[in-house]
Amino acid sequence: MHDDRSLVEARLKRVLDERVRPAVYPESVPLEVAVWHAPGEPVPVAEGLAAEPGPIEVGARWGAPWGTSWFRVTGTVPEAWAGRTVEAILDLGFDENMPGFQCEGLVYRPDGTPVKGLNPRNQWVRVGAPAEGGEQVRLHIEAASNPVILDYHPFLPTQLGDKETAGSDPQYTLARMDLAVFDETVWQLVIDLEVLGELMAELPVESARRWEILRAVDKALDAIDLQDVNGSAAHARSRLTGVLATPAAPSAHRISAVGHAHIDSAWLWPLRETVRKVARTTSNMTALLDDEPEFVFAMSQAQQWAWVRDHRPEVWARVKKAVADGRFVPAGGMWVESDTNMPGSEAMARQFVHGKRFFLDEFGIENDEAWLPDTFGFAAGLPQIIKAAGSTYLLTQKISWSQTNKFPHHTFQWEGIDGTRIFTHFPPVDTYNCSMKGSEIAHAARNFKDKGVARHSLAPTGWGDGGGGTTREMVAKAARMRDLEGSATVTWETPREFFEKAAAEYPEPPVWVGELYLELHRATLTSQARTKQGNRRSEHLLREAELWAATAAVRTGFPYPYEDLDRIWKTVLLHQFHDILPGSSIAWVHREARRTYERVAEELTGIVEAAQRALAGEGDTPLVFNAAPHARAGVPAGGAGVPAGQERTALSPRPGGGHVLDNGLLRVEVDARGLVVSAYDIEADRETVAPGRAANLLQLHPDFPNMWDAWDVDEFYRNTVTDLTDADEVVPDGDGVRIVRTFGSSRVTQLLSLAPGERRLVVDTEVDWHETEKFLKLAFPLDVHAERYASETQFGHFHRPTHTNTSWEAAKFEACNHRFVHLEEPGWGVALVNDSTYGHDVTRTVRTDGDGGTTTTVRVSLLRAPRFPDPETDQGVHRFRHALVPGAGIGDAVREGWRINLPERPLTGAGEVAPLVTCDQDAVVVTAVKLADDGSGDVVVRFHEAFGGRARATLTAGFEVTDVAVTDLLERPLADVPAPRAEDGRIALRLRPFELMTLRLRRA
């Protein structure tokens, strides 16, 4: 037989595009359209419906950036259409290639009842099936003219990312407003031909199945009368029945389709617009659930559910009914799909606490899975947090974006720093916006790495980011692929159903130990420094507020601010979303975030001060409150007292220029350039700075990644570096040394000081930053030979290599730490701690001149200046604090990391304040002391082993304890964990390395 494959495939494409798809709506009449443009921010629905609109024609421009326009469309169903299916086609000016990234709409009936969302791939509204002739149609559209930020030429700087700079030019052209007859037979023919054509293209050319489909499609095309597609569609479909009915092979890959609409809680739009995106999408999905009995939809992010509940009660009622029916499924059990690298220990725990509790309170549903398809890598401390929250599974997609190494598994056990393992799945479909294309389904089956031992994978299906979620076309395609030869099988299932099947068929999956590092988007550890500082400071203020409020409540009857703390926690958790905290959102988002963090700081500081005043009482004794988990200067952890006096640091001139700082423990030489050329540990008789090198060295790199400006830093940035060694001033300032440098359009002022009685060189850096597409680093070359170093992560630390033996190690050229990094030779180490930075790099070289020793350089990432999506990223004044701690063991690194983030608070009062809870072992770090969320008055204490070894400790309560329970993160007693006994308030503990534990102490 002659090979006519290309001829038939080209025929299929043209007939579909030019004849069959247009025939889905064979007849149409225009609707009358009027519009009212809201003058400012979005208005309540009732106000939009009541506004008096003015006339507008199809073809007219509309919609200022970030504006809201209320369209009213009216018309009459022609008498000749009686008994037929009629739909309104409402095209606001969509580009079908940009679902979720341009204008969107929500359709209402005149009484305010939401109908469904309008999006580029979902422009229809059902009017009648069957329709009545003469029926009056009246619909209202709340249309958002969100500007296109990420255009066909991506990453171009734009002022459209903030309503304050976006201007008022109309963004869209009204395209189509019609009533039309919907021919379902033709629509079904379209789906038949699309499914078979897409499947055919994925099969091997030599496959008999491919040719069988080709012949059937050819015959179906022969049956189509191109001048009467509607009259011949049924006949054409009949010629496809056989190939669509052939069942899949028994060994076919099995896909669990989960309806999905990945909506970033903020990104290329502000938070307020996400509230509306969620309302549009949930309206769409509840309508689709009514129409499609097998369809299942899952939505994560409790914050988004709360927005629907609080802002769109009419939509919420439909959502609640669908949840009760078991088909609209709460997923993930987190407040938002947060970043997991940068949130601190307690914040990461509270993501699950507040997320799971929301779904339990609203629906009585507990999530088994963490659902994080788009998060930029996963910290090694996360598995035990997932487990401690009562969950057992993790789903993500983003690791498939890694540039260098292909991850070796799709289903596996992920082991965290404490040994906890979580059953994890990466959908091999490699997208969280699956549209049921044949290419996607075939890719999932081919790509699945666990063939031969497992056969199930998951496909999150639907347009995300306000694109409307799953469409009726996707559901129809899935129905045809339920059991179709040549294809993977597709079944709609909930996440829990998928995970239960996957775990049952794969009882001994492979194990991956340590972080799930994304080899991409590394610059998100640095972009938008103020947002990151706001997060870090909010986390520590929340710790203080809970600690002192709980202590004051137990000791003095101080009213514990349950509702305020709950609300503030949710605000901070929201801003840990994976495009806010990482700094990858538009200017509007970060401008609002800065103001929000200021309000959070003011409110939390008020709670702290009120509680401390209640505890201190009246008096003139100078007290210091210590919120850190370790004693300092004689003041106990979690208590207040009079700090011990310490000698001052000596400051003297340095021969050859510069200054010497000496406190008896550490002697630091600052040369005439303002660089640290020596940091000598006097007790250990050991130099910290590598020979011939200088620390406190600011380094400037060009920073123009190939893509994703705010997200990425590409390795070639290192090829060019400018050492900022010229100083305008190097002068004494009190007990320290002040250094001023200028470069480009920017200015840096630093203060170097030695803490009295401590081996700690404090580096305070103020940068007035006005560079563009530059990367600023602060370098500390250390005389330390270490093959690995420790970075703090949630509830412990994680080791990374300092070498680049393999491509996996080389790819980690920028990594995350929390409060410290630590390098160590046996018996002696160095810590570098910080108050608000996350990104860093560590490199090693062997010295060829001199002693042949190893120089290990730690560089903290201070600032970047990408121009997309915020063209003014990080412009202005920033302040950072770092401390170099020579002679530090891992315990010192932990202690100094807390110290720099929780400064003492002075207050005069009646006398010392004893801690509410004490622990006699520094390795056991208390991360939270609070009252139980249920208002019972029980005291909740959370702690972990922080040094990486086994620990025995005694926890002592400063109040009478009648009962002790070990609980999960939601403060529910664990039935399978024996409770430790409390004798006179003393509780004996034994902890494994990095083990996390929560105790609930009932008060007498």
Side-chain angles (χ1 to χ4, degrees):
M1 183 177 290
H2 297 296
D3 185 351
D4 60 349
R5 177 175 53 84
S6 298
L7 191 69
V8 175
E9 290 171 355
R11 180 190 185 194
L12 171 62
K13 183 179 187 307
R14 184 174 186 192
V15 171
L16 260 175
D17 288 346
E18 298 185 21
R19 292 292 189 270
V20 183
R21 289 193 184 99
V24 171
Y25 293 105
E27 302 174 59
S28 64
V29 296
L31 289 159
E32 292 186 10
V33 190
V35 66
W36 174 73
H37 302 293
E41 282 293 275
V43 300
V45 173
E47 184 177 341
L49 294 174
E52 186 60 37
I56 188 173
E57 300 291 334
V58 167
R61 300 285 291 171
W62 71 277
W66 307 112
T68 300
S69 298
W70 282 84
F71 291 93
R72 184 186 67 195
V73 297
T74 56
T76 304
V77 176
E79 293 289 348
W81 294 0
R84 302 169 75 179
T85 300
V86 176
E87 294 181 344
I89 310 300
L90 308 173
D91 185 345
L92 299 172
F94 296 125
D95 177 345
E96 70 170 15
N97 295 314
M98 290 191 175
F101 295 94
Q102 54 174 260
C103 59
E104 300 169 20
L106 181 54
V107 179
Y108 294 90
R109 303 196 191 283
D111 64 359
T113 303
V115 181
K116 65 189 294 285
L118 293 179
N119 306 279
R121 301 293 183 101
N122 206 328
Q123 304 175 21
W124 58 274
V125 176
R126 183 63 56 88
V127 171
E132 296 181 10
E135 179 181 348
Q136 298 298 304
V137 177
R138 182 186 179 101
L139 298 170
H140 298 262
I141 308 166
E142 181 190 14
S145 49
N146 302 331
V148 176
I149 306 294
L150 191 66
D151 215 332
Y152 286 100
H153 187 163
F155 318 122
L156 289 180
T158 174
Q159 295 295 328
L160 290 172
D162 194 330
K163 66 175 182 177
E164 294 184 353
T165 59
S168 58
D169 292 343
Q171 299 293 295
Y172 298 100
T173 301
L174 199 62
R176 184 180 182 186
M177 295 277 150
D178 288 347
L179 280 181
V181 172
F182 174 72
D183 189 328
E184 183 161 355
T185 303
V186 175
W187 182 82
Q188 296 285 4
L189 176 61
V190 170
I191 303 299
D192 290 344
L193 291 172
E194 286 182 348
V195 167
L196 291 171
E198 291 165 4
L199 172 59
M200 181 169 59
E202 297 301 321
L203 294 171
V205 173
E206 64 274 13
S207 160
R209 175 64 169 164
R210 179 163 182 160
W211 289 92
E212 180 184 46
I213 294 172
L214 186 81
R215 294 295 159 232
V217 167
D218 202 22
K219 290 177 181 178
L221 295 175
D222 288 342
I224 297 174
D225 182 344
L226 297 182
Q227 278 65 53
D228 185 13
V229 173
N230 302 87
S232 57
H235 182 40
R237 289 199 72 206
S238 70
R239 294 193 170 185
L240 300 173
T241 303
V243 288
L244 286 168
T246 309
S251 60
H253 185 65
R254 298 178 180 179
I255 292 177
S256 297
V258 179
H260 185 51
H262 172 77
I263 301 179
D264 287 315
S265 289
W267 179 28
L268 304 180
W269 47 85
L271 288 167
R272 68 91 155 141
E273 192 55 31
T274 314
V275 176
R276 302 201 297 174
K277 282 177 174 281
V278 174
R280 297 175 199 124
T281 299
T282 51
S283 295
N284 252 357
M285 294 302 91
T286 51
L288 189 61
L289 287 167
D290 289 340
D291 295 338
E292 302 290 348
E294 295 186 359
F295 175 57
V296 174
F297 182 76
M299 190 168 90
S300 66
Q301 307 192 75
Q303 171 68 87
Q304 295 188 0
W305 291 72
W307 280 333
V308 179
R309 180 196 63 189
D310 298 340
H311 294 275
R312 297 297 169 99
E314 67 282 2
V315 180
W316 180 248
R318 290 164 52 175
V319 169
K320 287 186 69 175
K321 180 182 181 303
V323 173
D325 293 339
R327 299 176 58 216
F328 197 122
V329 182
M334 295 176 68
W335 190 248
V336 294
E337 289 181 11
S338 72
D339 180 81
T340 75
N341 284 313
M342 290 175 282
S345 303
E346 272 305 306
M348 201 72 254
R350 305 299 176 95
Q351 287 285 353
F352 288 90
V353 169
H354 288 283
K356 295 194 78 166
R357 188 171 286 144
F358 180 90
F359 293 135
L360 282 165
D361 291 347
E362 294 290 340
F363 308 113
I365 291 174
E366 178 149 11
N367 301 102
D368 293 324
E369 76 291 329
W371 183 275
L372 290 164
D374 191 29
T375 297
F376 309 151
F378 299 88
L382 187 58
Q384 74 164 330
I385 298 174
I386 295 173
K387 180 180 179 181
S391 297
T392 51
Y393 308 120
L394 168 66
L395 178 135
T396 185
Q397 181 69 64
K398 202 68 171 188
I399 299 299
S400 68
W401 287 41
S402 285
Q403 288 180 317
T404 306
N405 298 286
K406 191 78 171 175
F407 197 80
H409 317 296
H410 281 108
T411 302
F412 60 99
Q413 292 277 11
W414 178 29
E415 182 177 317
I417 56 175
D418 74 316
T420 296
R421 292 180 175 180
I422 294 294
F423 189 87
T424 302
H425 181 66
F426 292 167
V429 71
D430 281 350
T431 177
Y432 42 80
N433 295 311
C434 176
S435 62
M436 285 291 141
K437 282 185 178 178
S439 57
E440 295 170 334
I441 301 306
H443 175 75
R446 283 195 300 264
N447 189 39
F448 187 55
K449 296 238 177 341
D450 303 286
K451 298 182 186 77
V453 287
R455 58 193 302 189
H456 282 83
S457 72
L458 185 147
T461 302
W463 300 116
D465 287 323
T470 317
T471 65
R472 61 184 178 184
E473 289 79 12
M474 296 174 194
V475 176
K477 285 187 171 186
R480 286 158 175 79
M481 291 184 284
R482 182 182 298 118
D483 192 10
L484 180 63
E485 183 185 357
S487 171
T489 67
V490 178
T491 306
W492 294 106
E493 292 185 305
T494 66
R496 173 178 288 182
E497 289 169 335
F498 161 74
F499 273 112
E500 288 176 347
K501 288 181 179 179
E505 76 171 0
Y506 207 5
E508 295 185 10
V511 177
W512 181 270
V513 178
E515 67 182 334
L516 295 171
Y517 179 92
L518 177 63
E519 296 169 355
L520 192 74
H521 293 358
R522 302 167 181 90
T524 58
L525 302 173
T526 305
S527 298
Q528 299 286 0
R530 293 185 190 90
T531 299
K532 290 171 171 58
Q533 288 183 331
N535 172 74
R536 177 76 70 85
R537 290 165 186 172
S538 296
E539 289 180 350
H540 288 87
L541 279 168
L542 277 161
R543 170 195 173 84
E544 288 193 81
E546 289 183 337
L547 169 67
W548 300 125
T551 306
V554 173
R555 295 279 165 72
T556 73
F558 179 82
Y560 192 79
Y562 291 101
E563 293 182 1
D564 291 338
L565 290 171
D566 179 81
R567 172 178 47 78
I568 296 170
W569 262 117
K570 289 172 179 174
T571 298
V572 173
L573 298 177
L574 167 59
H575 286 78
Q576 292 178 339
F577 178 74
H578 66 252
D579 277 308
I580 304 179
L581 179 54
S584 46
S585 288
I586 56 173
W588 189 349
V589 173
H590 293 288
R591 172 171 57 81
E592 287 191 331
R594 289 192 292 272
R595 295 174 183 171
T596 297
Y597 285 130
E598 288 170 2
R599 292 194 299 270
V600 164
E602 182 179 5
E603 191 168 1
L604 288 174
T605 300
I607 293 172
V608 168
E609 290 176 349
Q612 289 181 340
R613 172 49 57 203
L615 287 165
E618 296 300 324
D620 55 8
T621 301
L623 302 174
V624 165
F625 280 79
N626 174 22
H630 307 97
R632 54 187 178 190
V635 179
V642 180
Q646 294 176 323
E647 295 182 2
R648 297 179 63 180
T649 297
L651 177 64
S652 60
R654 175 179 177 269
H659 306 273
V660 177
L661 297 163
D662 191 332
N663 66 358
L665 298 174
L666 196 62
R667 184 171 66 247
V668 175
E669 295 186 30
V670 183
D671 71 6
R673 301 170 298 172
L675 302 179
V676 175
V677 292
S678 174
Y680 191 74
D681 182 346
I682 296 171
E683 182 180 357
D685 189 22
R686 173 76 184 255
E687 178 58 62
T688 306
V689 180
R693 300 291 300 277
N696 189 44
L697 174 64
L698 289 161
Q699 296 183 303
L700 193 66
H701 295 271
D703 185 16
F704 190 65
N706 290 342
M707 298 176 66
W708 300 107
D709 296 42
W711 295 256
D712 282 358
V713 56
D714 290 327
E715 191 171 14
F716 54 73
Y717 89 92
R718 289 179 169 178
N719 297 346
T720 306
V721 60
T722 300
D723 291 345
L724 304 179
T725 57
D726 293 338
D728 301 340
E729 294 181 18
V730 181
V731 297
D733 188 334
D735 290 342
V737 178
R738 179 163 55 88
I739 303 112
V740 178
R741 307 182 195 279
T742 52
F743 59 93
S745 302
S746 302
R747 176 185 177 92
V748 176
T749 303
Q750 291 185 301
L751 180 65
L752 305 185
S753 58
L754 272 186
E758 304 283 352
R759 288 179 301 191
R760 180 172 70 250
L761 172 65
V762 178
V763 181
D764 286 301
T765 304
E766 178 181 288
V767 187
D768 190 2
W769 179 247
H770 297 284
E771 305 307 302
T772 299
E773 294 167 349
K774 295 290 193 294
F775 196 4
L776 184 64
K777 292 260 188 175
L778 181 61
F780 295 84
L782 307 173
D783 188 11
V784 176
H785 177 82
E787 292 186 357
R788 66 177 191 171
Y789 73 99
S791 295
E792 188 185 32
T793 188
Q794 292 96 3
F795 298 111
H797 56 267
F798 174 68
H799 287 100
R800 297 188 184 93
T802 60
H803 57 76
T804 55
N805 281 356
T806 70
S807 60
W808 293 88
E809 293 149 355
K812 295 184 179 183
F813 60 82
E814 185 80 4
C816 182
N817 66 280
H818 287 187
R819 285 168 291 232
F820 70 79
V821 294
H822 178 255
L823 298 92
E824 189 169 28
E825 294 176 5
W828 193 87
V830 183
L832 184 62
V833 301
N834 72 84
D835 74 341
S836 59
T837 57
Y838 296 91
H840 70 277
D841 68 85
V842 177
T843 55
R844 68 199 298 266
T845 58
V846 174
R847 299 187 286 273
T848 57
D849 53 342
D851 64 354
T854 300
T855 297
T856 304
T857 302
V858 180
R859 300 196 308 164
V860 296
S861 303
L862 295 181
L863 290 165
R864 300 183 67 236
R867 301 182 66 208
F868 182 88
D870 176 4
E872 301 297 322
T873 302
D874 278 334
Q875 300 299 297
V877 176
H878 305 267
R879 295 176 180 85
F880 308 96
R881 172 168 283 191
H882 295 83
L884 183 70
V885 189
I890 192 68
D892 300 301
V894 172
R895 191 163 38 248
E896 294 296 339
W898 280 102
R899 181 195 298 265
I900 201 171
N901 282 275
L902 285 167
E904 299 95 333
R905 291 183 180 270
L907 189 69
T908 57
E912 295 183 353
V913 177
L916 191 61
V917 174
T918 60
C919 183
D920 65 353
Q921 167 61 268
D922 275 359
V924 177
V925 171
V926 175
T927 60
V929 177
K930 59 190 289 292
L931 295 193
D933 291 340
D934 61 7
S936 63
D938 293 354
V939 174
V940 172
V941 185
R942 187 151 34 248
F943 49 89
H944 69 286
E945 195 288 318
F947 294 1
R950 294 182 181 270
R952 290 188 179 188
T954 300
L955 193 78
T956 303
F959 54 92
E960 185 177 348
V961 177
T962 62
D963 184 54
V964 180
V966 181
T967 75
D968 65 6
L969 295 179
L970 277 70
E971 302 168 7
R972 302 173 298 191
L974 298 173
D976 58 344
V977 178
R981 293 181 60 187
E983 296 183 3
D984 298 326
R986 296 166 58 84
I987 304 164
L989 303 172
R990 290 191 178 191
L991 297 179
R992 302 185 311 274
F994 299 129
E995 182 178 1
L996 164 65
M997 185 177 290
T998 305
L999 294 184
R1000 183 169 181 146
L1001 312 179
R1002 183 169 299 165
R1003 294 156 52 198

